[in-house]
Amino acid sequence: IIHELKIQSACNHPNICQLYGYFLDADNLYIMQELCTEGQLFDLLKKRNRIDEDQASFLIRQVLEGIRYLHVKCIIHRDIKP
C-alpha cells in the first residue's frame, strides 16, 4: 500500500485525485487526499438514468486524459471502474 501511495503522491493532474500525504501510527494508516465534492463517476451515472452523447463524450475524455497521463509516467491503473 505504501508503494501505491508514493506513486499517487507523485501524480499531479486535474483528473486524478491529489494525494497530499500519509502517515502511520501504531494501528492506522492516515491518508490526506484532495476533497472531491462531486463524488464518484459511478454515482453520477446511477443518479442520471441517461446521459446524452455530449455528456458521455466529455466524461470519457476526462477519464482518458487521466489514463494517458498515467501511461506517460509509466503507471498502469489495473482497477478502472465507471
Side-chain angles (χ1 to χ4, degrees), residues 14-82:
N15 297 335
I16 298 173
C17 189
Q18 184 69 41
L19 177 68
Y20 297 118
Y22 60 91
F23 59 94
L24 300 159
D25 66 14
D27 300 314
N28 298 296
L29 167 66
Y30 300 90
I31 300 173
M32 297 171 289
Q33 195 168 1
E34 175 182 9
L35 176 62
C36 299
T37 59
E38 299 298 320
Q40 297 182 20
L41 176 57
F42 182 72
D43 296 331
L44 173 71
L45 295 175
K46 276 190 345 187
K47 188 187 321 180
R48 301 179 187 181
N49 288 340
R50 187 177 189 111
I51 60 172
D52 63 33
E53 185 176 337
D54 289 337
Q55 292 170 323
S57 175
F58 174 79
L59 293 171
I60 290 168
R61 181 180 179 115
Q62 300 303 304
V63 170
L64 291 176
E65 284 179 2
I67 293 170
R68 180 171 50 112
Y69 171 83
L70 294 174
H71 287 182
V72 165
K73 294 182 67 79
C74 297
I75 299 169
I76 298 172
H77 192 305
R78 298 185 309 169
D79 192 25
I80 297 171
K81 301 179 197 75

